[in-house]
Structure formats: structure tokens, C-alpha cells
């Protein structure tokens, strides 16, 4: 086995350990990259982004995040800094054709126009704290899932973690008002992709 393939296998093992430790659904795919894959081919990078996103969602939900296997992985990689960075960097989900929705990993994940910072700016500018909730000083984080269609439009918004019906309604309003996204792609084709975002409500 070449060194590149060996590194690829070590990284898959580490991703599997991290996924199991954090109850993340993950099935490593066989690497078909031609040449020395060091965990940087599109398929491997898509798996890394998926694990990152799921870990981020756990943190947003206030759940503990467990990182395992890093020491063994670093030893196997003989301390190569660039390769080690791939183990646990900072999400989204899956597809097969025009009608099926991907929910685990796609090679190119959907993206809000302008990137993650633009998404955060959009939420900060558009989420309104409901006046009715101010009397009880309620706060919390609503988690919303939705589908980014092949044309970038947003469909099927759904609250997957509720705080209060009033917050849920505002979160769905903001998601429904989002501009078209850059759609996800698999094997060079645009696909319907499920995405999840947390929306926070804090009393100013």
C-alpha cells in the first residue's frame, strides 16, 4: 500500500471513531482517487466537511463533543502538519438524482451566497426577537432543517429542535425569506441537498 493510501485509511479510521463517539451517522466511502490520496481528494474532503458540520451542530445544541483517535492518527502521519490539519477542522448532507434528496455527504455542499459569514450576517440582520417573549425574558436556539433545491431555492423548512412556537414561527419566516443558495453537487451534477442551521434568540 502506498503512503498516500495509508494516510487516507488512517484518516477514515479517525473519522469513524469521532463519528461513533458523537453518535453521528457516518459510512466512509471507498476512495477511488487516482494517485496519492492523502485525505485531500473531493470525496475525502466531503466526508471531513460532513463530520465538521455535525460536530458544530452538536455544539450549537449544547451537547458534548468527543474527539478520539487523534494521537494515533498523528503518530501514523509522522507529524506532517498539513495532513494533521485534516483530522478535525471546523458543516451538511446527500443526493442521488433529480427527485431524491441527499442528507449525509455530497462532494460540494450547498452554500449561502457569499459564504458562511454572509449567512451569519443575514441571520443577524433579519431575525427579530418577538416582542411578546420579552415579558418573560425567554431565550434559546431553534434548529431548522430545509432542502436546497437544484436551482438554489429553499423548500421544506422544518423545525427539528423547538424552543417555543413563537420563536419557531420567526425562525421559519427567516429561512423562507432567504435568497437562493448555490446548490450542492455530486459527480458534477446539481442535487437536492438537506441542510440544517441553528437560529439563536437572545434578549438584548
Amino acid at each position: 500500500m502506498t503512503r498516500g493510501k495509508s494516510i487516507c485509511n488512517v484518516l477514515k479510521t479517525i473519522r469513524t471513531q469521532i463519528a461513533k463517539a458523537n453518535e453521528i451517522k457516518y459510512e466512509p466511502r471507498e476512495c477511488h482517487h487516482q494517485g496519492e490520496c492523502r485525505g485531500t481528494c473531493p470525496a475525502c474532503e466531503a466526508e471531513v466537511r460532513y463530520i465538521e458540520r455535525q460536530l458544530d451542530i452538536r455544539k450549537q445544541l449544547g451537547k458534548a463533543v468527543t474527539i478520539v483517535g487523534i494521537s494515533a492518527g498523528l503518530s501514523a502521519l509522522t507529524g506532517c502538519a498539513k495532513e494533521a490539519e485534516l483530522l478535525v477542522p471546523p458543516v451538511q448532507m446527500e443526493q442521488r438524482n433529480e427527485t431524491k434528496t441527499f442528507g449525509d455527504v455530497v462532494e460540494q455542499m450547498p452554500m449561502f451566497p457569499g459564504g458562511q459569514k454572509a449567512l451569519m450576517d443575514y441571520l443577524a440582520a433579519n431575525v427579530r426577537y418577538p416582542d411578546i417573549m420579552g415579558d418573560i425574558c425567554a431565550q434559546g436556539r431553534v434548529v431548522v432543517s430545509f432542502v436546497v433545491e437544484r436551482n438554489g431555492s429553499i423548500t421544506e423548512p422544518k423545525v427539528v429542535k423547538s424552543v417555543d412556537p413563537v420563536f419557531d414561527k420567526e425562525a421559519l419566516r427567516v429561512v423562507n425569506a432567504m435568497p437562493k443558495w448555490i446548490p450542492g453537487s455530486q459527480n458534477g451534477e446539481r442535487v437536492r441537498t438537506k441542510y440544517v442551521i441553528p437560529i439563536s434568540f437572545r434578549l438584548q
Side-chain angles (χ1 to χ4, degrees), residues 127-138:
V127 173
R128 299 285 179 259
Y129 185 95
D131 293 337
I132 192 174
M133 303 301 288
D135 295 336
I136 58 175
C137 299

Side-chain angles (χ1 to χ4, degrees), residues 63-84:
K63 296 182 179 180
V65 171
T66 303
I67 304 299
V68 297
I70 300 223
S71 298
L74 290 176
S75 298
L77 296 177
T78 64
C80 176
K82 183 175 181 181
E83 291 157 355

Side-chain angles (χ1 to χ4, degrees), residues 13 51 54 65 77 119 139 155 163:
T13 299
I51 295 293
Q54 297 306 310
V65 171
L77 296 177
L119 172 59
Q139 300 186 106
T155 63
V163 174

Side-chain angles (χ1 to χ4, degrees), residues 37-71:
C37 175
R38 295 172 178 264
T40 58
C41 73
C44 292
E45 289 185 342
E47 291 186 5
V48 170
R49 288 194 298 270
Y50 168 66
I51 295 293
E52 289 171 353
R53 178 62 178 171
Q54 297 306 310
L55 291 174
D56 185 57
I57 290 173
R58 285 184 66 85
K59 286 190 255 185
Q60 295 283 352
L61 295 176
K63 296 182 179 180
V65 171
T66 303
I67 304 299
V68 297
I70 300 223
S71 298

Side-chain angles (χ1 to χ4, degrees), residues 34 55 57 97 100 107 116 137 143 164-165 174 182 203:
Q34 299 298 317
L55 291 174
I57 290 173
N97 52 38
K100 291 186 179 181
E107 290 178 356
Q116 189 69 14
C137 299
V143 179
D164 183 278
V174 172
I182 299 170
L203 188 61

